[in-house]
Amino acid sequence: MSFREVVRALLRRWYVLLLVAALSLGGAVVVAKPETSYRSAAVVRVKPPETPQDPTGMTDFRPSLAIIGAAVVTVLKSPSGTAELHRAGVSGDFDLAPRNTGTTKTEAYVVPTVEVSVRGADPNETNREVGILVEHFETELQKLQNGLNVPRQRYITSDQLVPPTALPVLGVKSRGLVGVAALGTLLGVAAALWTDEYARTRVRRRRRAVAVPA
């Protein structure tokens, strides 16, 4: 089909384009006025045990600390861990992401941390649910060491570096509107061409039926 034929088909099925444009306009309104959501996040630090040589517990961080933190994250994000968190009251979309101050070139985990976050519709509720995640992180860290029979004085512990803070999640409206417009144009052209071809096929079938002698 040539470009001129495509243009003629679109002109013949202008009402299809108008219908798709109306639907796209409705989608654009939804994109332009999305529901407000909030993301609350806290930062948990994994600390080595305090010893006479290191009474503050702020030095001699080792990669094993980061590995321990990642192991706890794996447990909490597993199906059983997720189910337990839901039973404890975490209803929003949550995530636990291990962080460290090292780089891709240096694997020295200076201060192993875990970012705990929850996304939901109510800022106070997301803050509360982040608190639940932090508590479960600490509990799971102790359970992991209990299972390995780690002496209490050698326990790896955790504390909260950054308290939960809920901030609104702001999307880029322009991208959403461009996406809706592009999708609407594509669907409109495709629907108009399909409708035109379908109508013309039916007309040709009728003509052939009439032309067949009785």
Side-chain angles (χ1 to χ4, degrees):
M1 183 180 290
S2 66
F3 177 76
R4 182 175 297 179
E5 291 174 330
V6 170
V7 173
R8 289 177 178 173
L10 295 178
L11 291 175
R12 285 193 298 268
R13 308 303 167 187
W14 60 269
Y15 52 88
V16 176
L17 294 175
L18 184 61
L19 176 60
V20 175
L23 294 176
S24 300
L25 181 60
V29 171
V30 174
V31 171
K33 296 182 179 180
E35 294 183 0
T36 303
S37 63
Y38 295 86
R39 181 179 182 272
S40 178
V43 176
V44 176
R45 175 181 56 183
V46 182
K47 302 191 304 178
E50 297 180 1
T51 65
Q53 294 77 22
D54 179 25
T56 64
M58 289 298 295
T59 61
D60 193 28
F61 286 96
R62 303 179 186 278
S64 60
L65 295 177
I67 294 173
I68 288 290
V72 174
V73 169
T74 300
V75 172
L76 292 177
K77 295 176 72 172
S78 67
S80 59
T82 300
E84 176 63 27
L85 290 172
H86 287 165
R87 287 192 294 269
V90 178
S91 58
D93 295 330
F94 72 89
D95 191 25
L96 297 100
R99 296 283 187 266
N100 65 80
T101 57
T103 67
T104 56
K105 295 182 179 180
T106 59
E107 298 183 0
Y109 292 79
V110 182
V111 183
T113 59
V114 174
E115 183 186 62
V116 180
S117 63
V118 175
R119 182 167 176 169
D122 182 81
N124 296 325
E125 182 64 17
T126 55
N127 286 338
R128 186 188 70 83
E129 293 181 9
V130 166
I132 295 175
L133 285 172
V134 172
E135 291 177 1
H136 275 69
F137 183 91
E138 296 173 352
T139 300
E140 201 62 45
L141 181 60
Q142 290 188 11
K143 288 171 59 179
L144 180 62
Q145 295 176 93
N146 288 339
L148 297 174
N149 296 319
V150 176
R152 179 69 62 173
Q153 66 271 20
R154 300 299 301 166
Y155 259 38
I156 294 172
T157 58
S158 65
D159 63 2
Q160 188 172 277
L161 283 180
V162 180
T165 303
L167 297 174
V169 178
L170 303 176
V172 181
K173 294 181 181 180
S174 58
R175 293 181 182 177
L177 293 175
V178 170
V180 171
L183 182 61
T185 300
L186 179 63
L187 292 178
V189 171
L193 294 178
W194 181 86
T195 303
D196 186 72
E197 182 61 26
Y198 177 76
R200 293 173 66 183
T201 300
R202 291 192 61 182
V203 170
R204 287 195 295 267
R205 287 177 179 173
R206 285 200 211 96
R207 289 176 178 175
R208 285 198 296 266
V210 172
V212 174

